Amino acid sequence: VTETPGKNDAASAETRDLVLASSPHLATTESVRRIMHTVWITLLPACLLAGYVFGYTAFLIIALSTAACIGFEMLFLALRGKKWPQVRAEALDGSAVITGVLLALNLPASSPWWLVLIGAFVAMSLGKHLFGGLGNNVFNPALVARVFLLISFPTEMLDYTPPVEDFAGRYDAARADAVTYATPLGKLKEAARAGGDAEEVARIREEIRADYPLLDLFLGFRPSGRASGRGRMGGCLGEISGLLLLLGAAFLFWRRIITWHIPVTFVAATALVTGIAWAADPAQYVNPLYHVCSGGLLLGALYMATDMVTSPVTPRGMLIFGAGCGLITAVIRLWGSYPEGVSFAILIMNGLVPLIDRATRPRKFGESRRIWRSAT
Amino acid sequence: MKRTFKRGGVHPPQEKHFTREKPIENPPLPERVFIPLNQNLGAPSKSVVEPKQEVKTGQIIAEPTGFVSSPVHASVSGVVKSIGYRRTSVSPCSLCIEIESDGKDAWVDGVQLDADAIDFSHRESFLESIRAAGLVGMGGAAFPTHVKLSPPKEFPVDTLIVNGVECEPYLTADNRLMLEHPGEILQGLLAMKAVLGVERAFIGIEDNKPRAIAAVREAVGKTPGVEVVTLKTRYPQGAEKQLIKAVLGREVPPGKLPMQVGAVVQNVGTAFAVFEAVARRKPLVERVLTVSGQAIREPKNLRVRIGTPLKNIVEYCGGARDNLGKLIMGGPMMGKALRSADVPVLKSTSGLVFLDKASSLSPPECGCIRCGRCVLACPQGLVPGELARLSEAGAFERLADALDCVECGSCQYACPSNRRILHLLRLGKNEYRNLQKEKQTA
């Protein structure tokens, strides 16, 4: 009476060719492409402002950097043996665009074309594909490129003279006459070096106050700036407006692409350390808000440190990561030899991510509470 | 404040509108049924009938083979045609008893189909009635009910939780049962409460079923020791451990059973079946299930006999649409994709979901971008992405954490890279267990 197994296999005509897969059979509508494209789109306001402040060369740099990153991404994907449709799909998944835009926003407006190209090459090779491409890189590719350029071409990277043409390419007298192009952080470093000379420090501090009022730093532009011809914003393309970066990041937060953990702890740690220094010696150190609004802190905290690939996966890990970034940034800014420390701080913390992830593995359901879980 | 579990979870689209308002229907009896003998978790049952033997509805056709095992009953009256191996949703070849219906649906003696109340003076016989009726967990796990209701002395149980969460998308069978039979469910609950000897019982229902909550609240009224708990909708709240956490705030430790934190969880479908078993002496020969999805012409809630071929159900529901892509037994989050509709309904079949082609093909997988969404989604506090990575790399000895996975699928649902995280975790879990076994024998 025992039938052989498989005898009743014939499926009814209606239900033939059914898809077989293991559960779950539903998936979120979110995708890597959507996440990546959303991120760079939210950077567009900051890019537009860069064009307004630095002229059309800013757009050229952003476009060149993005195109170069996509191009090098394709090259390395092809070198890694991928076939064309996949090469195209992966190069256009938005991650190379993010790297391109972020790299450009980390360059000064005076960057020559070859600097941009080298940066894009380094970002895609050293930063990304040597590790195995998207998802496998340990360090933020755009920051690897920035630090590579900063060390290799310090003159070009620290030259914040904006082009003298205005947006339409016309010669702009106000730009040419602008008195100072030094970044506020560069000035601060200058003041720090003159530490012993109280009068000199006071003079530089006065200059900063006049050239870079806090509100202007935060907004990133001042409509009246042209007329006065003084204190045009100095710095990298993406460092000029905290406000626009915050707006973009707010959208990412609303879309749940980034969480508050890293940006908040990053900014808070920087503010805390610089705040303590300021409280201890207000004549020597500036107030912490100034640190928050100047340089690449907001760009770094909102867009570079929050890079999913190179930051921890656990919320507690993110808190440690952000705090570490903020701490190192503040220490470099206050006592290091570089005026700015955001990129170094993030890269150092990137390297610690595997350790942080291990140490902050979440408490398993039903397990007794332990702050530090041994890594097994 | 509405209760819920604290960590993880996702909000997949609910899709309950297809069948939420559809009363439970009784389709015509199938002309033949195929009743598998391995329907419960634990030992399979052993056939006690011969081919050509006449059987009545509710007659025992297979005996349990151990404590963690359940009897199986004929779900129609008629003649045993064959006993042989067939494809079922559980296995490509399960031993099944085929019964050809005589269309009379003549029940065995002793069954009182119209009894409407439990006689609580016989409470010492409840457990035996439940066991003899072949009851298993009807939420999907199919663990023999009598085993769950007899916790060993070293684990004092103080609370019974009846699970009316039904957090799987599409499914509305429990919802309808609560709307149409709240009184019976309450009586089933009281019977189980009596068996366990516990002081308090809860019925947990998610707030996306306000009418079911109202109906059950009304039935419960002022019954002492019974409380209806409204839960904030969130998948996988119907998972035993998450439900206990939501209702009682207790966490079942890794590798432990709910009774070790003093709780027993039973599905509302099981509570209803307990009522039928105790009040009506009616064995588990039918169950309520939801037939739903974009690719079935007439989505319905049905009361069907165990062993009914799915084909009959598809036919009764107007047939599948041409764009049918996937047929799922159970809900879409934890259910099983079937090869064909040529398999029978089981005691644990809570629904049939017909997905269209577009939603059946999962988008192409890409690399993990370490976004951490799986970590936020995991209700068990695991790091699913990392475990999947280890499993993919074959580092099975490092997958001890995978044993805590409840296979709810939240991680994979949340993954923007469409990685087959749960698939890899299941693989890793099995391989890790194999390694442990090897170690023991070595």
Side-chain angles (χ1 to χ4, degrees):
Chain A
V1 232
T2 305
E3 290 179 36
T4 44
K7 199 180 165 190
N8 296 294
D9 268 4
S12 61
E14 263 187 322
T15 54
R16 209 172 286 164
D17 304 323
L18 291 178
V19 177
L20 286 178
S22 60
S23 66
H25 305 285
L26 297 178
T28 169
T29 50
E30 189 71 285
S31 72
V32 172
R33 283 177 71 94
R34 272 183 67 184
I35 291 176
M36 295 293 174
H37 287 297
T38 309
V39 172
W40 73 259
I41 287 170
T42 61
L43 279 169
L44 285 183
C47 293
L48 289 176
L49 183 73
Y52 171 75
V53 171
F54 297 112
Y56 75 101
T57 42
F59 288 156
L60 287 185
I61 292 172
I62 294 168
L64 177 63
S65 170
T66 308
C69 277
I70 294 175
F72 286 126
E73 170 106 323
M74 284 181 171
L75 174 71
F76 289 114
L77 285 169
L79 285 178
R80 286 174 53 207
K82 306 223 173 181
K83 296 275 171 287
W84 170 244
Q86 208 188 348
V87 167
R88 198 187 58 179
E90 287 191 26
L92 297 180
D93 67 5
S95 62
V97 182
I98 296 181
T99 307
V101 173
L102 282 177
L103 173 64
L105 294 182
N106 272 288
L107 295 175
S110 57
S111 306
W113 61 269
W114 52 265
L115 194 75
V116 181
L117 283 188
I118 294 175
F121 179 83
V122 170
M124 285 299 144
S125 59
L126 273 181
K128 192 169 179 184
H129 284 282
L130 274 186
F131 290 96
L134 179 64
N136 297 313
N137 49 303
V138 177
F139 302 101
N140 186 314
L143 285 180
V144 170
R146 173 182 153 88
V147 167
F148 179 92
L149 296 175
L150 195 61
I151 294 169
S152 313
F153 309 100
T155 324
E156 283 80 4
M157 284 298 284
L158 296 173
D159 174 11
Y160 293 118
T161 320
V164 289
E165 293 93 19
D166 70 0
F167 181 69
R170 290 175 303 242
Y171 179 80
D172 184 341
R175 280 170 200 266
D177 294 344
V179 175
T180 173
Y181 299 122
T183 63
L185 286 177
K187 286 255 174 200
L188 283 177
K189 198 48 72 177
E190 211 180 299
R193 292 210 181 91
D197 186 344
E199 233 172 77
E200 178 70 1
V201 173
R203 190 187 61 75
I204 297 173
R205 289 287 296 279
E206 191 46 52
E207 223 173 83
I208 300 173
R209 230 191 305 279
D211 285 351
Y212 301 106
L214 192 58
L215 184 68
D216 289 14
L217 265 184
F218 180 64
L219 292 176
F221 59 93
R222 54 180 134 173
S224 60
R226 260 165 212 244
S228 75
R230 275 185 67 84
R232 193 157 293 284
M233 294 300 141
C236 294
L237 297 185
E239 291 180 352
I240 43 182
S241 173
L243 176 70
L244 293 184
L245 292 171
L246 272 176
L247 281 180
F251 184 76
L252 293 182
F253 180 77
W254 176 73
R255 277 276 280 102
R256 294 173 188 235
I257 290 176
I258 62 171
T259 60
W260 61 270
H261 302 82
I262 294 176
V264 169
T265 46
F266 195 152
V267 171
T270 307
L272 184 72
V273 177
T274 54
I276 291 171
W278 174 64
D281 187 357
Q284 177 71 27
Y285 302 104
V286 286
N287 98 49
L289 270 181
Y290 208 81
H291 274 285
V292 170
C293 292
S294 61
L297 187 83
L298 287 174
L299 180 65
L302 297 169
Y303 279 95
M304 318 279 280
T306 54
D307 170 28
M308 297 166 173
V309 176
T310 57
S311 62
V313 291
T314 64
R316 260 192 315 148
M318 292 179 189
L319 296 178
I320 296 175
F321 178 85
C325 287
L327 194 75
I328 300 174
T329 300
V331 167
I332 295 178
R333 279 187 178 185
L334 295 178
W335 302 294
S337 60
Y338 278 93
E340 174 60 305
V342 170
S343 355
F344 294 108
I346 297 175
L347 285 177
I348 291 169
M349 292 310 289
N350 282 164
L352 292 179
V353 163
L355 280 179
I356 297 174
D357 268 345
R358 280 200 145 204
T360 61
R361 244 181 286 182
R363 181 184 65 86
K364 277 201 290 184
F365 185 91
E367 212 175 41
S368 56
R369 274 163 220 287
R370 245 186 296 166
I371 295 172
W372 199 264
R373 244 189 102 198
S374 65
T376 43
Chain B
M1 207 185 76
K2 284 171 189 166
R3 291 180 236 184
T4 186
F5 57 104
K6 293 285 181 298
R7 306 165 64 195
V10 288
H11 294 96
Q14 299 181 8
E15 309 287 5
K16 296 195 189 262
H17 59 274
F18 288 103
T19 52
R20 192 166 35 206
E21 303 303 331
K22 304 226 168 129
I24 300 169
E25 289 179 39
N26 296 304
L29 285 182
E31 61 278 13
R32 64 185 61 214
V33 290
F34 300 92
I35 305 175
L37 300 185
N38 57 344
Q39 291 198 55
N40 55 270
L41 214 77
S45 323
K46 194 170 167 296
S47 167
V48 291
V49 289
E50 294 291 329
K52 300 204 180 91
Q53 184 179 332
E54 282 196 13
V55 291
K56 287 186 166 173
T57 312
Q59 182 179 333
I60 289 194
I61 54 173
E63 291 276 10
T65 55
F67 179 60
V68 187
S69 184
S70 287
V72 178
H73 304 79
S75 57
V76 291
S77 61
V79 180
V80 176
K81 287 294 280 186
S82 70
I83 303 172
Y85 286 94
R86 295 183 58 86
R87 176 189 300 286
T88 63
S89 55
V90 204
S91 147
C93 50
S94 311
L95 198 56
C96 295
I97 296 177
E98 176 184 2
I99 302 172
E100 194 176 53
S101 168
D102 56 12
K104 293 181 194 139
D105 198 25
W107 285 76
V108 284
D109 298 338
V111 177
Q112 300 150 313
L113 288 179
D114 48 359
D116 57 3
I118 290 177
D119 178 1
F120 278 90
S121 58
H122 297 103
R123 57 184 59 198
E124 63 289 340
S125 70
F126 287 177
L127 188 64
E128 175 50 26
S129 303
I130 290 168
R131 194 202 60 78
L135 258 57
V136 300
M138 314 238 327
F143 193 76
T145 305
H146 66 275
V147 181
K148 255 187 167 180
L149 291 179
S150 11
K153 285 219 167 49
E154 57 267 39
F155 304 125
V157 167
D158 59 14
T159 309
L160 167 69
I161 300 175
V162 169
N163 186 348
V165 173
E166 202 169 48
C167 57
E168 277 274 8
Y170 293 97
L171 304 191
T172 57
D174 289 351
N175 181 30
R176 290 311 306 183
L177 207 54
M178 287 188 282
L179 271 174
E180 297 175 31
H181 303 282
E184 289 89 332
I185 291 172
L186 175 66
Q187 290 206 44
L189 174 148
L190 292 173
M192 291 191 283
K193 197 164 158 266
V195 169
L196 286 168
V198 297
E199 292 291 311
R200 57 176 188 168
F202 296 92
I203 307 175
I205 310 172
E206 285 193 338
D207 57 6
N208 61 355
K209 294 178 268 292
R211 287 181 57 211
I213 295 172
V216 175
R217 278 239 156 91
E218 202 193 318
V220 169
K222 292 206 160 49
T223 314
V226 183
E227 190 188 323
V228 180
V229 182
T230 306
L231 301 161
K232 229 171 117 194
T233 302
R234 189 163 168 211
Y235 180 87
Q237 193 136 241
E240 218 169 39
K241 291 181 173 182
Q242 275 62 42
L243 184 60
I244 294 171
K245 173 72 179 175
V247 173
L248 295 178
R250 298 180 193 165
E251 290 192 9
V252 181
K256 302 284 196 254
L257 294 169
M259 59 177 73
Q260 281 159 293
V261 295
V264 165
V265 180
Q266 296 284 3
N267 184 266
V268 284
T270 314
F272 182 76
V274 165
F275 165 77
E276 292 207 302
V278 175
R280 300 177 175 159
R281 309 227 146 257
K282 182 178 158 189
L284 183 56
V285 295
E286 60 184 10
R287 68 157 298 144
V288 179
L289 55 79
T290 301
V291 184
S292 187
Q294 305 86 2
I296 184 81
R297 289 209 168 78
E298 297 161 25
K300 290 178 194 298
N301 293 301
L302 300 177
R303 180 176 286 113
V304 296
R305 295 293 162 96
I306 308 299
T308 305
L310 300 195
K311 279 193 285 190
N312 293 32
I313 296 172
V314 177
E315 217 169 278
Y316 183 72
C317 293
R321 291 183 198 278
D322 292 339
N323 63 355
L324 173 65
K326 209 187 244 178
L327 168 53
I328 300 161
M329 185 178 274
M333 291 300 283
M334 290 186 76
K336 231 174 208 170
L338 298 181
R339 184 181 292 275
S340 81
D342 202 23
V343 294
V345 168
L346 308 177
K347 290 177 180 178
S348 58
T349 304
S350 49
L352 295 174
V353 179
F354 294 73
L355 294 185
D356 58 17
K357 284 213 167 71
S359 30
S360 298
L361 291 169
S362 29
E365 193 174 347
C366 54
C368 170
I369 56 166
R370 295 176 37 84
C371 66
R373 283 164 198 233
C374 54
V375 183
L376 295 182
C378 182
Q380 289 292 95
L382 307 177
V383 186
E386 190 195 296
L387 295 174
R389 230 175 232 232
L390 289 171
S391 172
E392 206 168 26
F396 300 122
E397 70 283 356
R398 290 169 66 188
L399 282 170
D401 276 359
L403 298 183
D404 293 304
C405 172
V406 293
E407 305 192 14
C408 67
S410 299
C411 51
Q412 190 169 324
Y413 171 82
C415 180
S417 292
N418 294 302
R419 289 184 35 88
R420 313 290 187 257
I421 303 176
L422 179 52
H423 187 79
L424 289 165
L425 273 176
R426 281 199 193 99
L427 172 78
K429 207 189 226 183
N430 271 332
E431 291 296 323
Y432 181 81
R433 283 205 183 114
N434 289 344
L435 284 178
Q436 294 298 102
K437 268 182 216 155
E438 270 169 41
K439 243 185 229 166
Q440 273 174 10
T441 51

